[in-house]
Amino acid sequence: MKKISIITLFLVGFQLAAQTLQSPSGSVKLKFSLVNGKPSYEVFYKNKTVVNPSFMGIKLKEGNDLTAEFTVENNGQKVVNETWQPVLGEQSSIRNNYNELTLNLLQKPTKRKLNIIFRVYNEGVAFRYEFPKQPNMNYFIISDEVSEFNLTGDHKAFWLPGDFDSQEYSYMETRLSEVNTENIDMNNGIGLKSIAGKYVVQSPLMMKTSDKVYLNIFEAAVVNYPVMHLDLAPNDFKLKSRLVPNAIGDKAYLQAPCVSPWRTIMVSDDARDIVSSKMILNLNEPSRIDDTSWIKPMKYVGIWWEMHVGKSTWDYAGSQNAQNAADGKLKPTGKHGATTENAKRYIDFAAKHGFDGVLVEGWNAGWEDWFGNWKENVFDFTTPYPDFDLKAVNDYAKSKGVKMIMHHETSGSVSNYERHLDRAIDLMKKYGYPAVKSGYVGRIIPRGEFHDGQTMVNHFNFVAQRMAENKLMVNSHESSRPTGYSRTYPNYIAAEAARGNEFNAWSNGNPPMHETILPFTRLLGGPMDYTPGIFEIKMSAYDPNKKTEQVHTTLAKQLALYVTMYSPLQMAADLPENYEKHLDAFQFIKDVAVDWQESKYLEAEPGDYLTVARKDKRSENWFVGAITDENARNTEIKLDFLSPNKKYKATVYEDGKDADWQKNPKSYVIKTIQVTSKSKIKLHLAQGGGAAISLTPIN
Amino acid sequence: MKKISIITLFLVGFQLAAQTLQSPSGSVKLKFSLVNGKPSYEVFYKNKTVVNPSFMGIKLKEGNDLTAEFTVENNGQKVVNETWQPVLGEQSSIRNNYNELTLNLLQKPTKRKLNIIFRVYNEGVAFRYEFPKQPNMNYFIISDEVSEFNLTGDHKAFWLPGDFDSQEYSYMETRLSEVNTENIDMNNGIGLKSIAGKYVVQSPLMMKTSDKVYLNIFEAAVVNYPVMHLDLAPNDFKLKSRLVPNAIGDKAYLQAPCVSPWRTIMVSDDARDIVSSKMILNLNEPSRIDDTSWIKPMKYVGIWWEMHVGKSTWDYAGSQNAQNAADGKLKPTGKHGATTENAKRYIDFAAKHGFDGVLVEGWNAGWEDWFGNWKENVFDFTTPYPDFDLKAVNDYAKSKGVKMIMHHETSGSVSNYERHLDRAIDLMKKYGYPAVKSGYVGRIIPRGEFHDGQTMVNHFNFVAQRMAENKLMVNSHESSRPTGYSRTYPNYIAAEAARGNEFNAWSNGNPPMHETILPFTRLLGGPMDYTPGIFEIKMSAYDPNKKTEQVHTTLAKQLALYVTMYSPLQMAADLPENYEKHLDAFQFIKDVAVDWQESKYLEAEPGDYLTVARKDKRSENWFVGAITDENARNTEIKLDFLSPNKKYKATVYEDGKDADWQKNPKSYVIKTIQVTSKSKIKLHLAQGGGAAISLTPIN
């Protein structure tokens, strides 16, 4: 008996032999080992450890956990170097280049198989769990995932509290050891908060080591699985996956064969490698839509910001209780924004200035008591208010060559939305709406579910699929944050899923550094409908006595955001009358492209600044956006991205010398110069400021 | 200060003055009092107490409970005596005659209002809570209801365990003091059990006192509210409402103004008053369907029993795992029941024998691993198996003048069903299906919900409404049990929601007394699709080596069930080939009506026997059904319900002299006699037996 034990030990010892894999460039290295039957990995960047040995595994609700007692039965490597063309994107062609290692693990006592797949890219490592088809595991319930990310030091981190229902926070910038969700100012305008604990943070988590190495922990291809937050041990800088539970505490219901999402660790000593990485998109499946000709980028205006600033309301009958309306009839307050007349005004404005679409929120019955009551049957998504003539508005839009954008606020009642979805889609098709903006403000129904749980992830993906079947585009707000699924369903053109510009209208707002962090975090997963373009920076303009809020940027920075915040769907969010007052600056919003041939990140430092140049997919025009945080900044950018031997007219929209986001946000200067690829342009960015440049070839 | 206290006490004393209300006949009396601010009621029958003082009230999740600190602000009485015509029913006209008392209660500390409404009928008392529109209560969550039913003794009770997911039990017949759900044989074929506790029983709860008074506690108009089970204190015979919770333990989400369901206490010293009562229907709202011309009674056959007896299968590819099918293609086993060919065979049989419809179960993809996995996406309700040609089958049925009945098994995945419902309805309309049989076998998704919770109650009612909007009828199986909602949505023509005949095919079956209890319990709430008519009583006929189960009745009793188990939708559940062997007995199933002019309960004793005579709504024909339990029975029935001065041909289908449900179930005799309203007919009912009579006027 003893002899056999020794032999077994020898085999286990053999299993300890580590497997390594490096990136195509050689700078990133992955090491996998079985430590006493437990899977473990390490990550190195330029031969320095960036992730210490970290265990991996899955806990099951029933039966043995898939965390230990493993042997490696087999392993295989693969090299992939391919390119693909996104339907819409920051660049017309994306390279997908990685080395892959698959470990076929066997848990001998249970005869269960688990594969772990690693991919090593030049900018980081990804791994996922694969549950192959097998006799001893078919349906199973994940009670926990124990993917560790054991960091090597007390890095600086840009973090959001681990909230199962919202990502609409400002970023905290602290050392890992200082993370504590109790230190967050919760008077921040977020209506629904479900914070998981003191030391739980959201992914993507952007970090910087004291060696000036940038690290980012995130996930890709979250499909039929909950969102992963991160449990932090603040004393030893260890992170562990924290999956979002469902109503009864389970994490995921799966059936083999299937896979988990990818867990990603991006790493570089150049922040531009992170912000420009297409790793998250690359880790998603190719498009499942064959004919994508109907998926089109859009610039739009809409009846929306005027409600945020208090000029009008979503609801028709004020803060009455819809259910209690006398004689079942609502009495209008006269402040309703979504009237036929007002819609026509926006359509006129869109047509005049060349916008593709007009969004109208508040068009449909139900807004009287839509929020905060956990009410199931709020909207039916098909009944307009009496003062909104669906047919007249759509006919008028058609006559002007403008598309209407549908709006579906669910108020979190997903059961109700799914029940009505087909009818809502029929209505969209009847009137020719090409896209819908959906909203999920409020506690989820089915009750007990969170925005970030498997049920809701599946819902968001289901809506994308169902809309795709009907050739409709989706822009979801208050959804779980995207993880690259827009590669698979490119009609999922944008999402909010972060703190958007509207928080500036009625809360403590978005601090000036906010937009310099989003491209390193939220935007890695897909386009964001941030709704920039606010020219009337101070809300006191709408009510000098009551409103003190303001946008935390200069006007010029609002222009720059059209370039720095990538999205194929961009809103010019301010009111037509505010644009009329600054038609010279508005020209940039009219000119800027939203779908790109290529993108060059020129300067990047999370929390500080970002400068990017992008080339229009449909012309030879380039656009540059540069933003800074609360600190003023002078920079000089080289235009060597321009085609050589060509002359360009550069229109530079810059902060005025006296500009300052707080004191003088509307000071800007516009200058026109002639440039070539050899030119440099000096830019002055005010505190909370930015600059935007359009570059047009001169024939 | 003291003086004021005394005055207050005096007012409270004044409030103690009881309010009483009696039934139109005077035999039932209700007394309401406020006992130290707590609402309380008592019920008397023929001047004897049948419900001792019992508290009433509602507990709220947030804020003060609505159980105490009340004063009566106002009260009003009302007398109602009206008749209404059900679309389908046991009688063509229903009298609704009651006295009503409304108590307007005020909870002074919270300024909240609660109304309690009592209705006293000749056969019992009903009460409900009404939450009027008020400033201090709009949205609210019910955490508990504390309606007590304090009984006066250790009555005999016919009870089912309080199970949040199933009513498919056989009845236990014990004293209240002997109730204990742990004593139930759980090897009873029920796939999903969620028993709430040792002393929790279901309503309706049928009882009999030692004074031979019959009592029944139930509820009516369960709309936007969970099902009420009953918590029993077995030592002092006190019952208390036990509402079914949702995934997070809440009971109901409501918005004022609104009402609770009615709580009903039926009482009589004649069991026929209970079994014939229309109180539950009367307590529901009138029909919300204006044009009901498309709602039609149906007798049907179908591809169903052959799966229960093991002759064929629902699934196309045996017990394979659908998700793992090689090349995505299922390999047929050859045992699939729902083939085009077999459907045509049933259509031929239906057409030949004058049946209205043919049900086909197992027609659609997904049955390979549909059960027991808590799987969300099982069926899409529109994709037929490759061997079932939807168009060919429906064309053939049309050519034969037969309607097809659609089948939607949800496997409990209600989220998935609601997502697909509109498309499923479109398919039904495309092919002309007039009705759907729906199924809810398995754990509910949204996960954590129960079949009997508010979410599911709302689902069942939603489906009825949605089908009504599309002029389609519904017959739900494994739904929560009906509480008279078919008055409001008469297209909800039937439900199962109790232990049906199929349990006889593969479990310990339904004991002979089962069908003598259902009319006193389950059927009070609405028609049941019991699926009678099994002629091949012993399952050994299908597999002599393996199958030992049998139906626990004689063949003649199977005929009687068409009369005793009221439903406007009745299946002839057995296989065509079994009917072909007994065409003489089958004649009764062909002849029997399913929608009635009037119904006369001639004899009734719960758990023992039941005899009922019904007159066809569309002819002068009468039909009589008589059944007994495990004891043989001889009876003589008077035909004084027949029109005087008319002669009738009576065809009597009776147990043979040697008949016995166990030893000789297929022994029956058929005789034809001429009768008038002055005639009497002697009937012999074997052990587990029954008799059926058709009475046709002789012109």
Side-chain angles (χ1 to χ4, degrees), chain B residues 371-388:
Chain B
F371 175 69
N373 300 311
W374 222 2
K375 181 177 177 175
E376 181 153 0
N377 300 315
V378 180
F379 299 104
D380 69 6
F381 311 96
T382 49
T383 307
Y385 275 126
D387 57 352
F388 187 78

Side-chain angles (χ1 to χ4, degrees), chain A residues 632-651:
Chain A
R633 185 163 187 264
N634 292 307
T635 184
E636 187 177 56
I637 60 165
K638 286 186 198 167
L639 303 185
D640 54 5
F641 49 81
L642 294 174
S643 297
N645 310 322
K646 247 188 190 164
K647 287 179 189 167
Y648 292 80
K649 182 181 93 171
T651 310

Side-chain angles (χ1 to χ4, degrees), chain A residues 20-226:
Chain A
T20 61
L21 185 73
Q22 63 180 29
S23 64
S25 66
S27 58
V28 180
K29 211 169 79 181
L30 174 277
K31 184 173 149 194
F32 172 83
S33 343
L34 271 186
V35 181
N36 295 326
K38 294 181 178 181
S40 169
Y41 76 99
E42 288 169 79
V43 180
F44 308 88
Y45 177 69
K46 293 187 176 172
N47 295 318
K48 280 192 178 165
T49 302
V50 289
V51 177
N52 282 325
S54 299
F55 286 120
M56 328 167 77
I58 298 285
K59 292 188 175 178
L60 301 179
K61 189 172 186 184
E62 287 149 3
N64 256 35
D65 291 335
L66 298 170
T67 51
E69 303 182 278
F70 284 112
T71 51
V72 176
E73 292 297 295
N74 213 336
N75 71 75
Q77 293 202 13
K78 175 162 102 167
V79 176
V80 172
N81 189 356
E82 61 184 14
T83 57
W84 58 279
Q85 285 68 45
V87 178
L88 307 171
E90 289 188 271
Q91 55 205 67
S92 61
S93 185
I94 293 175
R95 178 163 301 279
N96 187 20
N97 183 200
Y98 60 85
N99 295 328
E100 182 175 285
L101 167 66
T102 299
L103 298 134
N104 304 113
L105 307 182
L106 176 68
Q107 191 178 50
K108 282 200 171 152
T110 63
K111 293 186 183 156
R112 283 182 169 173
K113 297 177 203 167
L114 174 71
N115 299 338
I116 296 179
I117 305 170
F118 289 97
R119 288 184 182 171
V120 185
Y121 288 80
N122 286 338
E123 71 268 26
V125 171
F127 66 86
R128 80 173 355 160
Y129 304 95
E130 183 178 58
F131 308 90
K133 184 178 168 177
Q134 52 191 299
N136 286 340
M137 194 165 72
N138 184 6
Y139 292 93
F140 59 102
I141 300 173
I142 291 183
S143 61
D144 220 343
E145 180 183 321
V146 286
S147 298
E148 296 180 350
F149 309 88
N150 295 330
L151 304 176
T152 56
D154 193 7
H155 309 329
K156 181 167 85 173
F158 299 91
W159 59 274
L160 302 178
D163 186 313
F164 295 161
D165 274 314
S166 180
Q167 327 88 346
E168 296 188 304
Y169 293 86
S170 300
Y171 286 89
M172 298 288 283
E173 181 182 346
T174 74
R175 295 267 158 199
L176 287 171
S177 59
E178 294 159 350
V179 165
N180 185 340
T181 62
E182 291 175 0
N183 296 338
I184 296 172
D185 173 13
M186 287 296 171
N187 186 18
N188 53 11
I190 300 173
L192 171 65
K193 304 183 185 97
S194 302
I195 292 179
K198 225 166 148 174
Y199 305 122
V200 188
V201 296
Q202 305 211 16
S203 78
L205 176 65
M206 186 66 206
M207 292 169 286
K208 187 179 184 182
T209 72
S210 45
D211 292 344
K212 298 195 167 51
V213 170
Y214 301 89
L215 265 176
N216 182 295
I217 294 176
F218 191 26
E219 59 181 342
V222 179
V223 177
N224 196 25
Y225 209 85

Side-chain angles (χ1 to χ4, degrees), chain B residues 645-659:
Chain B
N645 310 320
K646 248 189 188 162
K647 287 180 189 166
Y648 292 80
K649 182 182 91 171
T651 310
V652 182
Y653 303 77
E654 215 177 349
D655 290 318
K657 285 225 160 63
D658 53 350

Side-chain angles (χ1 to χ4, degrees), chain A residues 133 138-139 247-248 253 255-257 321 323-324 369 373-375 418-419 422-423 446-448 462 466, chain B residues 133 138-139 247-248 253 255-257 321 323-324 369 373-375 418-419 422-423 446-448 462 466:
Chain A
K133 184 178 168 177
N138 184 6
Y139 292 93
I248 55 170
Y253 302 84
Q255 181 182 15
N321 177 332
Q323 190 170 322
N324 292 342
D369 55 352
N373 300 311
W374 223 2
K375 181 177 176 175
E418 293 195 346
R419 243 172 247 144
D422 280 357
R423 279 167 277 166
R447 295 187 180 91
F462 165 72
R466 190 81 193 113
Chain B
K133 183 179 168 178
N138 184 6
Y139 292 93
I248 55 171
Y253 302 84
Q255 182 182 14
N321 177 332
Q323 191 170 318
N324 292 341
D369 55 352
N373 300 311
W374 222 2
K375 181 177 177 175
E418 293 196 345
R419 241 172 248 143
D422 280 358
R423 279 169 277 167
R447 295 186 180 91
F462 165 72
R466 191 81 193 114

Side-chain angles (χ1 to χ4, degrees), chain A residues 606-658:
Chain A
D608 290 348
Y609 56 83
L610 186 74
T611 307
V612 59
R614 305 190 196 268
K615 186 182 177 194
D616 183 12
K617 202 190 255 176
R618 287 156 185 79
S619 76
E620 291 298 313
N621 299 343
W622 282 81
F623 297 87
V624 176
I627 59 171
T628 184
D629 61 2
E630 67 283 2
N631 300 309
R633 185 163 187 264
N634 292 307
T635 184
E636 187 177 56
I637 60 165
K638 286 186 198 167
L639 303 185
D640 54 5
F641 49 81
L642 294 174
S643 297
N645 310 322
K646 247 188 190 164
K647 287 179 189 167
Y648 292 80
K649 182 181 93 171
T651 310
V652 182
Y653 303 77
E654 214 176 348
D655 291 318
K657 286 226 160 63
D658 53 350

